[in-house]
Amino acid sequence: MNRHVAPPEVTTAEPLIALDGIRKTYGGEVPVEVLRGITLRIYPGEFVAIMGASGSGKSTLMNLLGCLDRPSSGTYHFAGKDVSHFDRDELARLRRDEFGFVFQSYNLIPAATAVENVEVPAIYAGVDAPERHRRAAELLTSLGLAERLNHRPNQLSGGQQQRVSIARALMNGGRIILADEPTGALDSKSGAEVMALLKDLAARGHTIILITHDREVARHARRVIEIRDGQITADSGPDLGAGEAPSLPAAAHVRPSPLADAGEAVKMALRALRTNMFRTVLTLLGIMIGVASVVAMLAVGEGAQDEVMKRIGSMGSNLLVVRPGAPNERYSAGSGVRTLMPEDADALASLPNVTAAMPERQGNVTIRIGNRDYATQATATSVDLPQVRSWPVEEGVFFTPEDVTSHATVAVIGKTVEKNLFGEDDALGAHVLVNNVPFQVIGVMSGKGATGFGTDQDDVIFVPITTGGSRLFGETFVRSITVAASDVSKIGDTETEVRRELTARHGKEDFQIRNMASIVETMSATQQTLAILLASIASISLLVGGIGIMNIMLMSVTERTREIGIRMATGASTRNVLQQFLTEAVVVAAFGGTLGMVLGFAAGFIIQWAGLPLKFTALPAMMAFGCAVLTGVVFGFMPALKAAKLDPVAALASD
């Protein structure tokens, strides 16, 4: 074999690869120069072996030839273009479209099948799924692996794994095949088969660059270049008789794109997450608990708010409630303060913007019919209650002004009283004893239901205010007067008029006025603040879940560094790697968010079953889910960025 150093260029053929004065120095406390002024021309269709001992610089030269690394100085022209200063993504596109790598350690993705490993370069080339699957199967079949398409690397022998690696190198056409010690990990028979495949590819027009330390392996090449101490010491010269005319089916020329589609990214993410299911489940738990807490706690907050507002609203937001006792004096039902009389209600009813003024007095009573007794609450009031409280009579009638004037012993009962006293019997017209005073039931109120805080609004009996004062309670004073305003926008003026009228009647301000409209507004603001507080507390769980996502993704990047290097070698750009790992984080968050919503609804129903008020609405649930996904994006971005910025050579060299 005729060997010479840096042979003079006597041909006018255009080289495919042209290196001029390439140097590579690795930094550190003591810089090490690995390549020292390499000048080299490689032509289309050549089968070149670069041979050298360990530490000679041949692997570094291969990394530079394959655009996995960049020189410290010198120029590299590929097909006439200077690629020495290409950025990361430009080098990735060049690797994707022009190079195929065959490594000594195969560098297959452990979790992917043979077909999926071969498809990887085509994913980054934008080939649609059916076409790349067809071509991957075709390539594997042509290499004798038709029955191993769906086997994972650990189910294949070394020789079969190397065939998968060759098929992957050819997926996008494989104009240039860079084989780094392709037989180093194989037995002699498998090694011979791999070399036969490389020779066949060279015969079909592919440019083969073989890196080896074995002279016997190098003899298969048509051109041998020897390297020692970072310099070419021998070169048998270009083989210009070889021409590029690949007969192997080439990949379809498609428009390059980052990833085929979002579905492919999700598929890759799910496959990666399945490799460590237990850790993934633990991460899911963090997100699940966070979302479930937000959903359940917001439902509790909404339910409590609705219940409070319902109770206040049942009295009406257009109401003023007047109670006895001077301002700032604490009042209770049993305090004995006696400053309001039924006549005050009559006076207030005549004021402008007042539709009704309803006096009330409550007390506990026992109702008896036959041999049945029932304890409930009696409310002595006026004929205006159905209107003021928006509480209609379901059966019979409410008492009339004549009943009030005549101190009639008539009563209207709630649904709970009707059920407990009469069961299925008709209550209308029945005579009952209320604290041993006979009353006739003339009506049954419509059902209001429980308030959610243990108070049954239907457990009540209504009697005329005059009858209650004289026959049941023995006192004529009232415990409250509820004033209904016709125009709620003028309720402030009405409150002023009520205060003026009562002060004039009593000679002093011995009463308190509660404006229900302002109370409703205040309660609404308070409940909203409470809901925000509950959501904030629950969001801490989401934060913990987000930290879990960051942890699992950082560990994933560390464990899959070699896989990242493989993807970069096969054409993955910075955006591709960033998108893949970010998608994995979002998939975890979205899946955890979905399960968390289900768990939150389930927890809510249990809380509701326990008797607490609850209200589920779509917006908080969707917001919780959205926050979970956003958490995945935010906490997954740093690990994804770390993966995207890995150096391809360093990533491939990791264990």
Side-chain angles (χ1 to χ4, degrees), residues 291-477:
V291 172
S293 299
V294 171
V295 170
M297 295 186 77
L298 283 178
V300 170
E302 288 277 345
Q305 178 178 356
D306 270 15
E307 187 57 42
V308 171
M309 298 306 293
K310 185 188 298 181
R311 297 186 69 183
I312 297 175
S314 66
M315 300 175 64
S317 61
N318 64 327
L319 304 180
L320 299 172
V321 179
V322 184
R323 294 188 182 278
N328 301 318
E329 177 181 318
R330 186 173 181 179
Y331 170 78
S332 64
S335 63
V337 179
R338 306 176 181 183
T339 60
L340 293 178
M341 302 296 289
E343 292 78 10
D344 292 327
D346 296 335
L348 297 180
S350 63
L351 294 176
N353 197 42
V354 173
T355 58
M358 180 183 73
E360 287 184 286
R361 194 192 193 294
Q362 295 86 19
N364 295 325
V365 297
T366 299
I367 305 176
R368 174 178 295 175
I369 182 170
N371 59 356
R372 281 176 290 175
D373 288 346
Y374 184 73
T376 186
Q377 184 182 70
T379 297
T381 186
S382 71
V383 298
D384 298 313
L385 182 136
Q387 174 191 356
V388 173
R389 293 285 175 82
S390 299
W391 192 353
V393 176
E394 183 176 283
E395 301 176 57
V397 295
F398 206 74
F399 39 82
T400 64
E402 290 75 18
D403 292 329
V404 175
T405 303
S406 64
H407 293 237
T409 53
V410 293
V412 180
I413 62 176
K415 298 291 287 186
T416 300
V417 175
E418 179 192 34
K419 177 181 177 182
N420 284 283
L421 272 180
F422 297 95
E424 299 297 327
D425 298 335
D426 188 6
L428 292 181
H431 289 81
V432 297
L433 293 177
V434 181
N435 283 359
N436 293 320
V437 177
F439 278 79
Q440 183 181 19
V441 177
I442 62 172
V444 178
M445 304 298 291
S446 60
K448 278 269 190 178
T451 63
F453 294 97
T455 302
D456 184 357
Q457 299 179 86
D458 298 320
D459 193 4
V460 66
I461 179 172
F462 296 106
V463 299
I465 185 68
T466 53
T467 310
S470 61
R471 304 295 300 274
L472 292 182
F473 306 125
E475 297 175 329
T476 58
F477 71 90

Side-chain angles (χ1 to χ4, degrees), residues 13-90:
E14 183 71 23
L16 184 60
I17 292 174
L19 305 182
D20 289 291
I22 293 293
R23 293 181 178 274
K24 180 64 179 179
T25 302
Y26 291 104
E29 293 184 4
V30 180
V32 177
E33 189 175 36
V34 180
L35 297 181
R36 305 175 182 179
I38 297 290
T39 297
L40 176 64
R41 301 289 185 273
I42 297 176
Y43 294 87
E46 281 201 282
F47 187 175
V48 181
I50 298 177
M51 190 178 70
S54 178
S56 63
K58 62 183 186 301
S59 293
T60 300
L61 180 57
M62 187 207 76
N63 291 334
L64 292 173
L65 289 171
C67 299
L68 292 169
D69 204 355
R70 36 176 104 243
S72 301
S73 62
T75 60
Y76 176 3
H77 286 81
F78 182 88
K81 294 182 180 179
D82 187 356
V83 302
S84 305
H85 304 292
F86 274 21
D87 63 25
R88 288 172 62 96
D89 289 347
E90 289 173 321

Side-chain angles (χ1 to χ4, degrees), residues 601-626:
F601 282 118
F605 286 125
I606 293 173
I607 293 171
Q608 192 173 41
W609 177 77
L612 292 178
L614 204 71
K615 181 182 179 182
F616 285 113
T617 53
L619 183 59
M622 295 307 298
M623 287 179 62
F625 179 79

